[in-house]
Amino acid sequence: MATRQRGWLGLIGLVLALVIVALLARTILREYGLAGNPASAAKHVSVPGAPDVEAAANVTPKNALARARALQDEVRKDAADQEKRIDAAVSAASK
């Protein structure tokens, strides 16, 4: 009889652990804004003169990707401009 109960206790323990992990995952996904409204958006404080504060509170994963790609393009453009300036300075110095 004791061996049968150990199997049920183990199964109940696994289900309980699964429920705990699911609740923690749901909380984490909400904080990162991937599931429902982010918890941080509810605590948003408006700062006068800072228009980007509201935009930062409403960042979605797609919006974040678009912003990251735009920043990457800008960095690449700045690197190309800097390379041209360096090449121009080196050629001017060698003359």
Side-chain angles (χ1 to χ4, degrees), residues 7-95:
W8 282 104
L9 287 176
L11 185 60
I12 291 171
L14 285 174
V15 169
L16 183 63
L18 182 63
V19 168
I20 291 171
V21 169
L23 290 174
L24 290 173
R26 183 181 65 171
T27 303
I28 290 172
L29 288 174
R30 280 188 182 167
E31 285 181 10
Y32 285 118
L34 299 175
N37 293 332
S40 61
K43 299 176 186 175
H44 175 66
V45 176
S46 178
V47 177
D52 294 335
V53 174
E54 280 189 23
N58 296 326
V59 172
T60 60
K62 272 189 175 178
N63 189 13
L65 275 174
R67 290 176 62 196
R69 286 187 180 129
L71 179 63
Q72 181 182 15
D73 291 341
E74 186 177 330
V75 167
R76 285 183 179 171
K77 182 182 141 199
D78 289 345
D81 291 343
Q82 185 176 13
E83 185 178 354
K84 287 178 186 176
R85 284 191 304 243
I86 291 172
D87 289 342
V90 168
S91 66
S94 64
K95 289 184 179 181

